[in-house]
Amino acid sequence: MKSRKASIDWMLFASTGIFFMVGQFIAPRYERMLLESGIVEEVTPISVYCLIASAAIFVCLIGRWIYRLTHRVK
């Protein structure tokens, strides 16, 4: 049972990291390249959405840790 709890924590932590890396480093580069190419006039800010998703998943991870700590004490 412990490995299942740890695997969920690792999945949340890894997802947070992946979304953060994409939102911070990868997506802005491609957004800038699309704007500079002149093909499109407006680009959807995927980097902002990735950072929001990263923050939401991180909040879920923190909530899970708090929930687990409060139920361990009882």
Side-chain angles (χ1 to χ4, degrees):
M1 193 71 168
K2 284 187 176 183
S3 64
R4 183 172 181 224
K5 288 181 182 180
S7 68
I8 291 173
D9 290 346
W10 277 108
M11 284 189 288
L12 289 173
F13 188 70
S15 298
T16 300
I18 290 169
F19 275 104
F20 181 77
M21 294 299 234
V22 168
Q24 192 71 25
F25 301 111
I26 298 170
R29 178 176 177 231
Y30 288 103
E31 290 172 359
R32 192 171 37 257
M33 285 172 39
L34 272 172
L35 283 174
E36 289 173 357
S37 70
I39 297 173
V40 293
E41 293 179 11
E42 186 176 337
V43 176
T44 305
I46 299 296
S47 60
V48 175
Y49 296 148
C50 285
L51 291 175
I52 291 171
S54 172
I57 295 171
F58 188 71
V59 167
C60 290
L61 179 64
I62 296 297
R64 178 169 165 71
W65 287 341
I66 291 170
Y67 177 80
R68 192 170 2 144
L69 286 174
T70 57
H71 279 67
R72 235 184 233 176
V73 174
K74 291 182 180 181

